[in-house]
Amino acid sequence: MDWNKIKPRLTAVWREFIRHDLRFSHLVVAASIAIGALINLVFAHGWTVWPVVLAFGILTYINEAVARNGQGIPPFQVYLFFMGAVVLWLLAVAILASLHPLILILGLIAILYRIAEAILRQRERDRLIASRRSQNLCLHCGHTYDSNAVFCDNCGEEPNPDAAILKRVAQIYRSDKDVERARSALSRTAAPSTTSTKEQALIARRHSGKTTHQSPLPKAAKLGPGRSSNRRA
């Protein structure tokens, strides 16, 4: 094949790829391959870097796919979070090791105090909610409310969110009879019109040999000159 004919085609394909299909992950993988090749050539056992390059390339493509589709957590963010947590832990250990033990004990006592305070507040809140629920009061403001109302008249919130959720779930649920009734209503054929019924009856009578007599018209509907016109004539 002639190179002069292949070169313009390759150039057009390359430009089309750069314009539409080139992504940042391609550049990152290409750079990692170049760095891996350089390490392989410079160091004695540099060939051991290729599994790392392969894993890095796979993670790069997965990270780009997750970011483009908006589903899942990008792996680079997970690894960065893990590495950041490790670094923070090492810094915290280094700082605590340089402090006096008395300061550490006081800090531990302060942390335990805050934890106990949060537990006691949560227990008090649970007790108050249970008391208001047993007295049929609004869980938010403690005032009475209409059981048929959706929101409390005093605070504008749902008086009992748990009961409201249960009611919504109960409304969503349908028994087998309800499903069968809805299915029969949807699959029911439309009733034929009166005109089509009459036509089918006439066709059946004709095929069976029965003749249908035309019913006489009312006197007022008869055509032709009436008796009064004959008398005048």
Side-chain angles (χ1 to χ4, degrees), residues 23 25 59-71 74-75:
R23 298 171 183 169
S25 59
L59 290 176
T60 302
Y61 282 121
I62 294 175
N63 187 82
E64 183 189 9
V66 170
R68 186 171 61 253
N69 298 326
Q71 296 180 357

Side-chain angles (χ1 to χ4, degrees), residues 137-141 145-146 149-153 155-166 168:
L137 300 177
C138 178
L139 301 183
H140 299 279
C141 61
Y145 65 92
D146 186 6
V150 179
F151 299 102
C152 177
D153 296 333
C155 62
E157 300 289 340
E158 290 185 346
N160 193 348
D162 297 335
I165 293 173
L166 291 177
R168 295 190 189 102

Side-chain angles (χ1 to χ4, degrees), residues 29-58:
V29 171
S32 64
I33 292 173
I35 294 172
L38 182 62
I39 293 174
N40 191 9
L41 293 175
V42 173
F43 296 95
H45 299 283
W47 58 270
T48 56
V49 78
W50 291 115
V52 178
V53 173
L54 177 62
F56 181 76
I58 293 172

Side-chain angles (χ1 to χ4, degrees), residues 20 30 42 85 105 111 133 143 156 191:
H20 298 287
V42 173
I105 294 173
I111 293 173
R133 185 180 287 115
H143 288 75

